[in-house]
Amino acid sequence: VQGVAVRPDETSPGARLVLRTGATVGGLVATKAKSPIPEARVELYDSVADARLKVEQRRPFRIIFTDGTGRFAFPNVAMSSYKVRVLADGYETQALTVNSALKAGPEDQDLEFLLADGRPLPGRVVDANGRPVKDARIEANALKREYQGNAIAFSDANGYFLLDGMGLEHPYQIRCTAHGYSDKTLPAVQVVDGEILFQLDQRLKVE
């Protein structure tokens, strides 16, 4: 609400709240053979809000899990642009962005995520001297058709990280960001290539 000061135990008789109608964003998570995957984690991101944040600050707006039939549903979604991300043990992580900014209002969605087999990809982040860089954010993306293969991890105190849910059928672009260091991107990484290494250069300070 803009232009209205809200204080405890006070009413604002001149205030008028207009509620937007929300949509139901739901769908199915299954294997490529269309067998349902129960207990898959489904994340909803606000794309407009995330655009104002640094990549390492972005967090899910809502989180739910699929039921026994692999179905999920987010009710009352009023965002004009959002991303749905799906994660399940032993399968490739996928994401899909929906943009309804040019439409009259939010529309119900029935999405289908068909997940291929996946496995984790290990790696490490170090500085120019080989010292570990902790809390670096590593994001892997593989664009394929209208869906995105997507995985995110953070390095530990020794610089090690593990990207879960990496698909075996295609290469990934993997980007590493860390506070105080220049970003680095590996343009085409195959999971079968094994452990990866990021060596980051410290960002120059402006006096």
Side-chain angles (χ1 to χ4, degrees), residues 121-122 140-142 163 166-167 170-175 185-198:
L121 175 64
N141 288 287
L163 287 163
M166 299 285 284
H170 43 261
Y172 284 80
Q173 182 183 79
I174 305 181
R175 183 169 182 251
T185 299
L186 301 179
V189 176
Q190 293 277 1
V191 177
V192 293
D193 293 339
E195 185 173 350
I196 59 176
L197 175 69
F198 281 100

Side-chain angles (χ1 to χ4, degrees), residues 38-109:
E39 295 300 318
R41 177 184 169 109
V42 186
E43 301 173 342
L44 180 67
Y45 291 80
D46 185 339
S47 298
V48 175
D50 283 350
R52 298 190 291 266
L53 299 175
K54 296 179 180 179
V55 290
E56 62 268 20
Q57 296 174 322
R58 296 171 186 173
R59 296 292 184 271
F61 180 71
R62 296 187 201 170
I63 298 172
I64 56 177
F65 292 85
T66 55
D67 61 18
T69 65
R71 305 283 310 178
F72 68 92
F74 292 103
N76 305 317
V77 177
M79 295 174 287
S80 61
S81 180
Y82 53 85
K83 180 173 74 174
V84 180
R85 184 167 178 260
V86 175
L87 308 90
D89 290 341
Y91 295 95
E92 174 188 19
T93 299
Q94 286 188 3
L96 174 66
T97 298
V98 177
N99 191 340
S100 58
L102 300 180
K103 299 179 181 178
E107 295 181 345
D108 291 349
Q109 299 286 339

